[in-house]
Coordinates of all heavy atoms in Angstrom, one line a residue:
M1 N -19.9 83.2 68.5 CA -20.5 81.9 68.3 C -20.9 81.8 66.8 O -21.4 82.7 66.2 CB -21.8 81.9 69.2 CG -21.5 81.8 70.6 SD -23.1 81.7 71.5 CE -22.8 80.5 72.7
K2 N -20.8 80.5 66.3 CA -21.1 80.3 64.9 C -22.1 79.2 65.0 O -22.1 78.3 65.6 CB -19.9 79.8 64.2 CG -18.8 80.7 64.2 CD -18.7 81.5 63.0 CE -17.6 82.4 63.0 NZ -17.4 83.2 61.8
F3 N -23.2 79.5 64.1 CA -24.4 78.6 64.0 C -24.6 78.3 62.6 O -24.5 79.1 61.7 CB -25.5 79.2 64.7 CG -25.4 79.4 66.1 CD1 -24.9 80.7 66.6 CD2 -25.6 78.5 67.0 CE1 -24.8 80.9 67.9 CE2 -25.4 78.7 68.4 CZ -25.0 80.0 68.9
L4 N -25.1 77.1 62.3 CA -25.7 76.7 61.0 C -27.2 76.5 61.3 O -27.6 75.9 62.2 CB -25.1 75.4 60.4 CG -23.6 75.4 60.3 CD1 -23.1 74.0 59.9 CD2 -23.2 76.4 59.2
S5 N -28.0 77.0 60.3 CA -29.5 77.0 60.5 C -30.1 76.5 59.2 O -29.7 76.8 58.1 CB -29.9 78.5 60.8 OG -31.3 78.5 61.0
F6 N -31.1 75.6 59.4 CA -31.7 75.0 58.3 C -33.2 74.7 58.6 O -33.5 74.2 59.6 CB -31.0 73.7 57.9 CG -31.6 72.9 56.8 CD1 -31.6 73.3 55.5 CD2 -32.2 71.7 57.1 CE1 -32.1 72.6 54.5 CE2 -32.7 70.9 56.0 CZ -32.6 71.4 54.7
S7 N -34.1 75.0 57.6 CA -35.5 74.7 57.8 C -35.8 73.7 56.7 O -35.8 74.0 55.4 CB -36.4 75.9 57.6 OG -36.3 76.8 58.6
P8 N -36.0 72.4 57.1 CA -36.2 71.4 56.0 C -37.5 71.6 55.2 O -38.6 71.8 55.8 CB -36.4 70.1 56.8 CG -35.9 70.4 58.1 CD -36.1 71.9 58.4
P9 N -37.4 71.6 53.9 CA -38.6 71.8 53.0 C -39.5 70.6 53.1 O -38.9 69.5 53.2 CB -38.1 72.0 51.7 CG -36.7 71.4 51.7 CD -36.2 71.5 53.0
N10 N -40.7 70.7 53.1 CA -41.7 69.6 53.1 C -41.6 68.6 54.2 O -42.0 67.4 54.0 CB -41.6 68.9 51.7 CG -41.7 69.9 50.5 OD1 -42.6 70.8 50.6 ND2 -40.8 69.7 49.6
S11 N -41.1 68.9 55.4 CA -41.0 68.0 56.4 C -42.3 68.2 57.3 O -42.6 69.3 57.7 CB -39.8 68.3 57.3 OG -39.8 67.3 58.4
S12 N -42.9 67.0 57.6 CA -44.1 67.1 58.4 C -43.7 66.8 59.9 O -44.6 66.8 60.8 CB -45.1 66.0 57.9 OG -44.5 64.7 58.1
F13 N -42.4 66.7 60.2 CA -42.0 66.3 61.5 C -41.0 67.4 62.1 O -41.2 67.7 63.2 CB -41.2 65.0 61.3 CG -40.7 64.4 62.6 CD1 -41.6 64.1 63.6 CD2 -39.4 64.0 62.7 CE1 -41.2 63.5 64.8 CE2 -38.9 63.4 63.9 CZ -39.8 63.2 65.0
I14 N -40.1 67.9 61.3 CA -39.1 68.9 61.8 C -39.3 70.2 61.1 O -39.3 70.4 60.0 CB -37.7 68.4 61.7 CG1 -37.5 67.1 62.5 CG2 -36.7 69.5 62.0 CD1 -36.2 66.4 62.2
K15 N -39.5 71.3 62.0 CA -39.7 72.7 61.5 C -38.4 73.4 61.3 O -38.2 74.0 60.3 CB -40.5 73.4 62.5 CG -40.9 74.8 62.1 CD -41.8 75.4 63.1 CE -42.4 76.7 62.7 NZ -43.4 76.6 61.5
H16 N -37.4 73.2 62.2 CA -36.1 74.0 62.0 C -35.0 73.2 62.8 O -35.2 72.6 63.8 CB -36.3 75.4 62.6 CG -35.3 76.3 62.1 ND1 -35.3 76.9 60.9 CD2 -34.1 76.7 62.7 CE1 -34.4 77.6 60.7 NE2 -33.5 77.6 61.7
L17 N -33.8 73.3 62.3 CA -32.6 72.8 62.8 C -31.6 73.9 63.1 O -31.4 74.8 62.2 CB -32.0 71.8 61.9 CG -32.8 70.6 61.5 CD1 -32.0 69.8 60.4 CD2 -33.1 69.7 62.7
V18 N -30.9 73.9 64.2 CA -29.8 74.8 64.4 C -28.6 74.0 65.0 O -28.8 73.2 65.9 CB -30.2 76.0 65.4 CG1 -29.0 76.9 65.7 CG2 -31.3 76.8 64.8
Y19 N -27.5 74.2 64.4 CA -26.3 73.6 64.8 C -25.3 74.6 65.4 O -24.9 75.5 64.7 CB -25.6 72.7 63.7 CG -24.5 71.9 64.2 CD1 -24.7 70.7 65.0 CD2 -23.1 72.2 63.9 CE1 -23.6 70.0 65.4 CE2 -22.1 71.5 64.4 CZ -22.3 70.4 65.1 OH -21.2 69.7 65.6
D20 N -24.9 74.4 66.6 CA -23.8 75.2 67.3 C -22.5 74.6 67.1 O -22.2 73.5 67.6 CB -24.2 75.2 68.8 CG -23.2 76.0 69.7 OD1 -22.1 76.2 69.2 OD2 -23.6 76.4 70.7
L21 N -21.7 75.2 66.1 CA -20.4 74.7 65.8 C -19.4 74.5 66.9 O -18.6 73.6 67.0 CB -19.8 75.6 64.6 CG -20.5 75.4 63.3 CD1 -20.2 76.7 62.4 CD2 -20.1 74.2 62.6
E22 N -19.4 75.5 67.8 CA -18.5 75.5 68.9 C -18.8 74.4 70.0 O -17.8 73.9 70.6 CB -18.4 76.9 69.5 CG -17.8 77.9 68.6 CD -17.9 79.4 69.1 OE1 -18.1 79.5 70.4 OE2 -17.7 80.3 68.4
N23 N -20.0 74.2 70.3 CA -20.4 73.3 71.3 C -20.9 72.0 70.9 O -21.3 71.2 71.7 CB -21.4 74.1 72.3 CG -20.8 75.3 72.9 OD1 -19.8 75.2 73.6 ND2 -21.4 76.4 72.6
E24 N -21.0 71.8 69.6 CA -21.5 70.6 69.0 C -22.9 70.2 69.6 O -23.2 69.0 70.0 CB -20.6 69.4 69.2 CG -19.2 69.5 68.4 CD -18.4 68.3 68.5 OE1 -18.3 67.6 69.5 OE2 -17.9 68.0 67.4
K25 N -23.8 71.2 69.6 CA -25.2 71.0 70.0 C -26.1 71.1 68.8 O -25.9 72.0 68.0 CB -25.6 72.0 71.0 CG -24.8 71.8 72.3 CD -25.3 72.8 73.4 CE -24.6 72.6 74.7 NZ -25.0 73.6 75.7
L26 N -27.1 70.3 68.7 CA -28.1 70.4 67.7 C -29.4 70.7 68.3 O -29.9 69.9 69.1 CB -28.2 69.0 66.9 CG -29.3 68.9 65.9 CD1 -29.1 69.9 64.7 CD2 -29.4 67.5 65.4
A27 N -30.0 71.8 68.0 CA -31.3 72.2 68.5 C -32.3 71.8 67.3 O -32.1 72.1 66.1 CB -31.4 73.7 68.7
V28 N -33.4 71.1 67.8 CA -34.4 70.6 66.9 C -35.7 71.2 67.3 O -36.2 70.9 68.4 CB -34.4 69.1 66.8 CG1 -35.6 68.6 65.8 CG2 -33.1 68.5 66.4
L29 N -36.4 72.0 66.4 CA -37.7 72.5 66.7 C -38.6 71.6 65.9 O -38.5 71.6 64.6 CB -37.8 74.0 66.3 CG -39.2 74.6 66.5 CD1 -39.6 74.6 68.0 CD2 -39.2 76.1 65.9
F30 N -39.5 70.9 66.5 CA -40.4 70.0 65.8 C -41.7 70.8 65.4 O -42.0 71.9 65.9 CB -40.8 68.9 66.7 CG -39.6 68.0 67.1 CD1 -38.9 68.1 68.2 CD2 -39.3 67.0 66.2 CE1 -37.8 67.3 68.5 CE2 -38.2 66.1 66.4 CZ -37.4 66.3 67.6
N31 N -42.4 70.3 64.4 CA -43.6 71.0 64.0 C -44.6 71.1 65.1 O -45.5 72.0 65.0 CB -44.2 70.3 62.8 CG -43.4 70.4 61.5 OD1 -42.7 71.5 61.4 ND2 -43.5 69.6 60.5
S32 N -44.5 70.3 66.1 CA -45.4 70.4 67.3 C -45.0 71.6 68.2 O -45.7 71.8 69.2 CB -45.3 69.1 68.0 OG -44.1 69.0 68.6
L33 N -43.9 72.3 67.9 CA -43.3 73.4 68.6 C -42.6 72.9 69.8 O -42.3 73.6 70.7 CB -44.3 74.5 68.8 CG -44.9 75.1 67.6 CD1 -45.7 76.3 67.9 CD2 -43.7 75.6 66.7
S34 N -42.3 71.6 69.9 CA -41.5 71.1 71.0 C -40.1 71.3 70.6 O -39.7 71.1 69.4 CB -41.8 69.5 71.1 OG -40.9 68.9 72.0
L35 N -39.2 71.7 71.5 CA -37.8 72.0 71.2 C -36.9 71.2 72.1 O -37.0 71.1 73.3 CB -37.6 73.5 71.5 CG -36.2 74.0 71.4 CD1 -35.7 73.9 70.0 CD2 -36.1 75.5 71.9
W36 N -36.0 70.5 71.4 CA -35.1 69.6 72.1 C -33.6 70.0 71.6 O -33.4 70.4 70.5 CB -35.2 68.2 71.7 CG -36.4 67.6 72.4 CD1 -37.8 67.8 72.0 CD2 -36.5 66.8 73.6 NE1 -38.6 67.1 72.9 CE2 -37.8 66.5 73.9 CE3 -35.5 66.2 74.4 CZ2 -38.2 65.7 74.9 CZ3 -35.9 65.5 75.4 CH2 -37.2 65.2 75.7
V37 N -32.7 69.9 72.5 CA -31.3 70.1 72.2 C -30.5 68.7 72.4 O -30.6 68.1 73.5 CB -30.6 71.2 73.1 CG1 -29.1 71.3 72.8 CG2 -31.3 72.5 72.9
Y38 N -29.8 68.4 71.4 CA -29.1 67.1 71.4 C -27.6 67.4 71.5 O -27.0 68.3 70.8 CB -29.3 66.2 70.0 CG -30.8 65.9 70.0 CD1 -31.7 66.6 69.6 CD2 -31.1 64.6 70.5 CE1 -33.1 66.3 69.6 CE2 -32.4 64.2 70.6 CZ -33.4 65.0 70.1 OH -34.8 64.7 70.2
H39 N -26.9 66.8 72.3 CA -25.5 67.1 72.8 C -24.5 66.2 72.1 O -24.7 65.1 71.8 CB -25.4 67.0 74.3 CG -26.4 67.8 75.0 ND1 -26.3 69.2 75.2 CD2 -27.6 67.5 75.5 CE1 -27.4 69.6 75.8 NE2 -28.2 68.6 76.0
Q40 N -23.3 66.8 71.8 CA -22.1 66.1 71.2 C -22.5 65.5 69.9 O -22.0 64.4 69.6 CB -21.6 65.1 72.2 CG -21.1 65.7 73.5 CD -20.5 64.7 74.5 OE1 -21.0 63.6 74.5 NE2 -19.5 65.1 75.1
V41 N -23.2 66.2 69.0 CA -23.5 65.8 67.7 C -22.4 66.4 66.8 O -22.2 67.6 66.8 CB -24.9 66.3 67.3 CG1 -25.3 66.0 65.9 CG2 -26.0 65.8 68.2
S42 N -21.8 65.5 66.0 CA -20.7 66.0 65.1 C -21.3 66.8 64.0 O -22.4 66.7 63.6 CB -20.0 64.8 64.6 OG -20.8 64.1 63.6
L43 N -20.4 67.6 63.4 CA -20.8 68.4 62.2 C -21.1 67.5 61.1 O -22.1 67.8 60.4 CB -19.6 69.4 61.8 CG -19.8 70.2 60.6 CD1 -21.1 71.1 60.7 CD2 -18.6 71.0 60.3
E44 N -20.5 66.4 60.9 CA -20.8 65.5 59.9 C -22.2 64.9 60.0 O -22.9 64.8 59.0 CB -19.8 64.4 59.9 CG -20.0 63.3 58.8 CD -19.0 62.1 58.9 OE1 -18.3 62.0 59.9 OE2 -19.0 61.4 58.0
T45 N -22.6 64.6 61.2 CA -24.0 64.2 61.4 C -25.0 65.2 61.1 O -26.0 65.0 60.5 CB -24.1 63.6 62.9 OG1 -23.2 62.6 63.1 CG2 -25.5 63.2 63.1
Y46 N -24.7 66.5 61.5 CA -25.7 67.6 61.2 C -25.7 67.7 59.7 O -26.9 67.9 59.1 CB -25.2 68.9 61.8 CG -25.9 70.0 61.2 CD1 -27.2 70.4 61.6 CD2 -25.3 70.8 60.2 CE1 -27.9 71.5 61.0 CE2 -26.0 71.9 59.6 CZ -27.3 72.2 60.0 OH -28.0 73.2 59.4
E47 N -24.6 67.7 59.0 CA -24.6 67.9 57.5 C -25.4 66.8 56.8 O -26.1 67.0 55.8 CB -23.2 68.0 57.0 CG -22.5 69.3 57.3 CD -21.0 69.4 57.0 OE1 -20.4 68.3 56.9 OE2 -20.5 70.5 56.9
S48 N -25.2 65.5 57.3 CA -26.0 64.4 56.7 C -27.4 64.5 57.0 O -28.3 64.2 56.1 CB -25.5 63.1 57.4 OG -24.1 62.8 57.1
L49 N -27.8 65.0 58.2 CA -29.2 65.2 58.5 C -29.8 66.3 57.5 O -30.9 66.1 57.0 CB -29.4 65.7 60.0 CG -30.7 66.2 60.4 CD1 -31.8 65.0 60.4 CD2 -30.6 66.7 61.8
A50 N -29.1 67.4 57.4 CA -29.7 68.5 56.6 C -29.8 68.1 55.1 O -30.6 68.6 54.4 CB -28.8 69.7 56.7
A51 N -28.9 67.1 54.6 CA -28.8 66.7 53.3 C -29.8 65.5 53.0 O -29.9 65.1 51.9 CB -27.4 66.4 52.8
A52 N -30.3 64.9 54.0 CA -31.1 63.7 53.8 C -32.4 63.9 53.1 O -33.0 64.9 53.1 CB -31.5 63.2 55.2
E53 N -32.7 62.9 52.2 CA -34.0 62.9 51.5 C -35.1 63.1 52.4 O -36.1 63.8 52.1 CB -34.0 61.7 50.6 CG -35.2 61.8 49.7 CD -35.2 60.6 48.8 OE1 -34.1 60.2 48.3 OE2 -36.3 60.1 48.4
S54 N -35.0 62.3 53.5 CA -36.1 62.5 54.5 C -35.5 62.8 55.9 O -34.8 62.0 56.5 CB -36.9 61.1 54.7 OG -37.8 61.2 55.8
V55 N -35.6 64.1 56.2 CA -35.0 64.6 57.4 C -35.5 63.8 58.7 O -34.8 63.5 59.6 CB -35.1 66.1 57.6 CG1 -34.6 66.5 58.9 CG2 -34.4 66.8 56.4
G56 N -36.8 63.6 58.7 CA -37.4 63.0 59.8 C -37.0 61.5 60.0 O -36.7 61.0 61.1
N57 N -36.9 60.8 58.9 CA -36.4 59.4 58.9 C -35.0 59.4 59.4 O -34.6 58.5 60.2 CB -36.6 58.8 57.5 CG -36.3 57.3 57.6 OD1 -36.8 56.6 58.4 ND2 -35.6 56.8 56.6
F58 N -34.1 60.2 58.8 CA -32.7 60.2 59.3 C -32.6 60.5 60.8 O -31.8 59.9 61.5 CB -31.9 61.3 58.5 CG -30.4 61.3 58.8 CD1 -29.5 60.5 58.1 CD2 -29.9 62.0 59.9 CE1 -28.2 60.5 58.4 CE2 -28.6 62.0 60.2 CZ -27.7 61.3 59.5
F59 N -33.4 61.5 61.2 CA -33.4 61.9 62.6 C -33.7 60.7 63.4 O -33.0 60.4 64.5 CB -34.3 63.0 62.9 CG -34.5 63.3 64.3 CD1 -33.6 64.2 65.0 CD2 -35.6 62.9 65.0 CE1 -33.7 64.4 66.3 CE2 -35.7 63.1 66.4 CZ -34.8 64.0 67.0
N60 N -34.8 60.0 63.1 CA -35.3 58.9 63.9 C -34.2 57.7 63.9 O -34.1 57.0 64.9 CB -36.6 58.4 63.4 CG -37.8 59.2 63.9 OD1 -37.7 59.9 64.9 ND2 -38.7 59.4 63.0
L61 N -33.6 57.4 62.9 CA -32.7 56.3 62.8 C -31.2 56.6 63.2 O -30.5 55.7 63.6 CB -32.5 55.9 61.3 CG -33.8 55.3 60.7 CD1 -33.6 55.0 59.2 CD2 -34.1 54.0 61.4
N62 N -30.8 58.0 63.3 CA -29.5 58.2 63.6 C -29.2 59.2 64.8 O -28.1 59.4 65.3 CB -28.8 58.8 62.4 CG -28.7 57.9 61.3 OD1 -28.0 56.9 61.2 ND2 -29.7 58.1 60.3
I63 N -30.3 59.9 65.3 CA -30.1 60.9 66.3 C -30.9 60.6 67.5 O -30.4 60.5 68.6 CB -30.3 62.3 65.8 CG1 -29.3 62.6 64.7 CG2 -30.3 63.4 66.9 CD1 -29.5 63.9 64.0
R64 N -32.3 60.5 67.3 CA -33.1 60.3 68.5 C -32.7 59.0 69.1 O -32.4 58.0 68.4 CB -34.6 60.1 67.9 CG -35.5 59.7 69.1 CD -36.9 59.6 68.6 NE -37.4 61.0 68.8 CZ -38.6 61.4 68.3 NH1 -39.3 60.6 67.5 NH2 -39.0 62.6 68.4
N65 N -32.6 59.0 70.4 CA -32.2 57.8 71.2 C -30.7 57.5 71.1 O -30.3 56.5 71.7 CB -33.1 56.6 71.0 CG -34.5 56.8 71.2 OD1 -34.9 57.5 72.1 ND2 -35.4 56.3 70.4
F66 N -29.9 58.2 70.4 CA -28.5 58.0 70.2 C -27.6 59.1 70.9 O -26.5 58.8 71.1 CB -28.1 57.9 68.8 CG -28.7 56.6 68.1 CD1 -29.8 56.7 67.4 CD2 -28.0 55.4 68.2 CE1 -30.4 55.5 66.7 CE2 -28.5 54.3 67.6 CZ -29.7 54.3 66.9
Y67 N -28.3 60.2 71.2 CA -27.5 61.3 71.8 C -28.2 61.8 73.0 O -29.5 61.7 73.1 CB -27.4 62.5 70.8 CG -26.5 62.2 69.6 CD1 -27.1 61.7 68.4 CD2 -25.1 62.5 69.7 CE1 -26.3 61.5 67.4 CE2 -24.3 62.2 68.6 CZ -24.9 61.7 67.5 OH -24.1 61.5 66.3
D68 N -27.4 62.2 74.0 CA -28.1 62.8 75.2 C -28.8 64.1 74.7 O -28.4 64.8 73.8 CB -27.0 63.2 76.2 CG -26.4 62.0 76.9 OD1 -27.0 61.0 77.0 OD2 -25.3 62.2 77.4
S69 N -30.0 64.3 75.3 CA -30.8 65.4 74.9 C -31.5 66.1 76.1 O -31.6 65.5 77.2 CB -31.8 64.9 73.9 OG -32.7 64.0 74.5
T70 N -31.9 67.3 75.9 CA -32.5 68.1 76.9 C -33.7 68.8 76.2 O -33.6 69.4 75.1 CB -31.6 69.2 77.4 OG1 -30.3 68.6 77.8 CG2 -32.3 70.0 78.5
K71 N -34.9 68.7 76.9 CA -36.0 69.4 76.3 C -36.0 70.8 76.9 O -35.7 71.1 78.0 CB -37.3 68.7 76.9 CG -38.5 69.4 76.2 CD -39.8 68.7 76.5 CE -41.0 69.4 75.8 NZ -42.2 68.8 76.0
V72 N -36.2 71.8 76.0 CA -36.3 73.1 76.4 C -37.8 73.5 76.6 O -38.6 73.4 75.8 CB -35.8 74.1 75.2 CG1 -35.8 75.5 75.6 CG2 -34.4 73.7 74.9
S73 N -38.0 73.8 77.9 CA -39.4 73.9 78.4 C -40.1 75.2 77.9 O -41.3 75.3 77.7 CB -39.5 73.8 79.8 OG -38.8 74.8 80.4
N74 N -39.3 76.3 77.7 CA -39.9 77.5 77.2 C -39.3 77.8 75.8 O -38.2 78.2 75.6 CB -39.5 78.6 78.2 CG -40.0 79.9 77.9 OD1 -40.8 80.1 76.8 ND2 -39.9 80.9 78.7
I75 N -40.3 77.7 74.9 CA -39.9 77.9 73.4 C -39.4 79.3 73.2 O -38.7 79.7 72.3 CB -41.0 77.5 72.5 CG1 -40.4 77.4 71.1 CG2 -42.1 78.5 72.6 CD1 -41.3 76.7 70.2
M76 N -39.7 80.2 74.1 CA -39.3 81.6 74.0 C -37.7 81.7 74.2 O -37.1 82.7 73.9 CB -39.9 82.6 75.0 CG -41.4 82.7 74.7 SD -41.9 83.1 73.1 CE -41.2 84.8 72.9
N77 N -37.1 80.6 74.7 CA -35.7 80.6 74.7 C -35.0 80.3 73.4 O -33.8 80.3 73.3 CB -35.2 79.5 75.8 CG -35.4 79.9 77.2 OD1 -35.6 81.1 77.5 ND2 -35.5 79.0 78.0
F78 N -35.8 80.1 72.4 CA -35.4 79.9 71.1 C -35.6 81.2 70.3 O -36.8 81.5 69.9 CB -36.2 78.7 70.4 CG -35.6 78.1 69.2 CD1 -34.4 77.5 69.3 CD2 -36.3 78.0 68.1 CE1 -33.9 76.8 68.2 CE2 -35.8 77.4 66.9 CZ -34.6 76.8 67.0
Y79 N -34.6 81.9 70.0 CA -34.8 83.3 69.5 C -33.9 83.5 68.2 O -32.9 82.9 68.1 CB -34.7 84.4 70.6 CG -33.3 84.5 71.1 CD1 -32.5 85.4 70.6 CD2 -32.9 83.7 72.2 CE1 -31.1 85.6 71.1 CE2 -31.6 83.8 72.7 CZ -30.8 84.7 72.2 OH -29.5 84.8 72.7
N80 N -34.3 84.5 67.5 CA -33.6 84.8 66.2 C -32.4 85.8 66.5 O -32.6 86.8 67.1 CB -34.6 85.4 65.2 CG -34.0 85.4 63.8 OD1 -32.9 86.0 63.6 ND2 -34.7 84.9 62.9
V81 N -31.3 85.4 65.9 CA -30.2 86.4 65.9 C -29.7 86.4 64.4 O -30.1 85.7 63.6 CB -29.0 86.0 66.8 CG1 -29.4 86.0 68.3 CG2 -28.5 84.6 66.5
Q82 N -28.7 87.2 64.1 CA -28.3 87.4 62.8 C -27.9 86.1 62.1 O -28.2 85.9 61.0 CB -27.2 88.5 62.7 CG -26.8 88.9 61.3 CD -25.8 90.0 61.3 OE1 -25.4 90.5 62.3 NE2 -25.5 90.5 60.1
E83 N -27.1 85.3 62.8 CA -26.6 84.1 62.2 C -27.6 83.0 62.0 O -27.5 82.0 61.3 CB -25.5 83.5 63.1 CG -24.2 84.3 63.2 CD -24.5 85.2 64.5 OE1 -25.5 85.4 65.1 OE2 -23.4 85.8 64.8
G84 N -28.8 83.1 62.7 CA -29.8 82.1 62.6 C -30.5 82.0 64.0 O -30.6 82.9 64.8
Y85 N -31.1 80.8 64.3 CA -31.8 80.6 65.5 C -30.8 80.2 66.6 O -29.9 79.2 66.3 CB -32.9 79.7 65.4 CG -34.0 80.3 64.6 CD1 -34.1 80.3 63.2 CD2 -35.1 80.9 65.3 CE1 -35.1 80.8 62.5 CE2 -36.2 81.5 64.5 CZ -36.1 81.4 63.2 OH -37.1 82.0 62.4
V86 N -31.0 80.5 67.8 CA -30.1 80.1 68.9 C -30.9 79.7 70.1 O -31.9 80.3 70.4 CB -29.2 81.4 69.3 CG1 -28.3 81.0 70.5 CG2 -28.4 81.8 68.1
V87 N -30.4 78.7 70.8 CA -31.0 78.4 72.1 C -30.3 79.1 73.2 O -29.1 79.0 73.4 CB -30.8 76.9 72.3 CG1 -31.4 76.5 73.7 CG2 -31.6 76.1 71.3
K88 N -31.0 80.0 73.9 CA -30.4 80.8 74.9 C -30.1 80.0 76.1 O -30.8 79.2 76.6 CB -31.4 81.9 75.3 CG -30.9 82.9 76.3 CD -31.7 84.1 76.5 CE -33.2 84.0 76.3 NZ -34.0 85.2 76.7
E89 N -28.8 80.1 76.6 CA -28.4 79.4 77.7 C -29.0 80.0 79.0 O -29.3 81.2 79.1 CB -26.8 79.5 77.9 CG -26.2 78.9 76.7 CD -26.2 77.4 76.6 OE1 -26.4 76.7 77.7 OE2 -26.2 76.8 75.5
K90 N -29.2 79.1 80.0 CA -29.7 79.6 81.3 C -28.7 80.6 81.9 O -27.5 80.4 81.8 CB -29.9 78.4 82.3 CG -31.0 77.4 81.8 CD -31.2 76.3 82.8 CE -32.3 75.4 82.4 NZ -32.5 74.3 83.3
E91 N -29.3 81.5 82.6 CA -28.4 82.5 83.2 C -28.2 82.2 84.7 O -28.9 81.5 85.3 CB -29.1 83.9 83.2 CG -29.2 84.4 81.7 CD -29.9 85.7 81.5 OE1 -30.1 86.4 82.5 OE2 -30.3 86.0 80.4

């Protein structure tokens, strides 16, 4: 599995992003510690998000309400591996 991981500097809205290259999933950990996974997000969209001057603004205008999403109820399913942070799949 290959992942891209990014912590936006100075964001009051988003704490951490993880992009799953193989499955086109974007995991967003908000500063509130709420964790959501957005499905079928292109690599281009992830790269634009990570490069945006305002990550929160880009997210609100281009991702929230535009992609199917799933709330991860247990933040402990978000754990650190060598490549970055990963959302553990249900067993």
Side-chain angles (χ1 to χ4, degrees):
M1 293 180 136
K2 301 266 185 177
F3 299 92
L4 300 175
S5 181
F6 177 68
S7 292
N10 306 319
S11 178
S12 61
F13 185 54
I14 294 175
K15 185 173 188 70
H16 199 81
L17 303 170
V18 177
Y19 184 74
D20 179 337
L21 288 159
E22 294 175 12
N23 298 301
E24 293 190 318
K25 292 182 182 180
L26 174 65
V28 180
L29 179 63
F30 295 93
N31 284 339
S32 65
L33 299 183
S34 173
L35 176 62
W36 287 78
V37 176
Y38 294 83
H39 307 277
Q40 298 179 326
V41 177
S42 70
L43 176 59
E44 180 182 12
T45 299
Y46 167 78
E47 289 173 337
S48 296
L49 172 64
E53 186 174 322
S54 172
V55 174
N57 190 45
F58 184 93
F59 174 82
N60 283 328
L61 293 174
N62 299 283
I63 296 174
R64 174 177 273 166
N65 301 324
F66 292 95
Y67 292 90
D68 288 336
S69 61
T70 305
K71 184 173 183 179
V72 178
S73 59
N74 184 354
I75 196 166
M76 295 308 292
N77 287 340
F78 198 61
Y79 64 94
N80 191 307
V81 295
Q82 188 172 2
E83 299 90 348
Y85 290 85
V86 179
V87 177
K88 187 171 26 172
E89 296 293 332
K90 292 181 180 178
E91 296 179 14

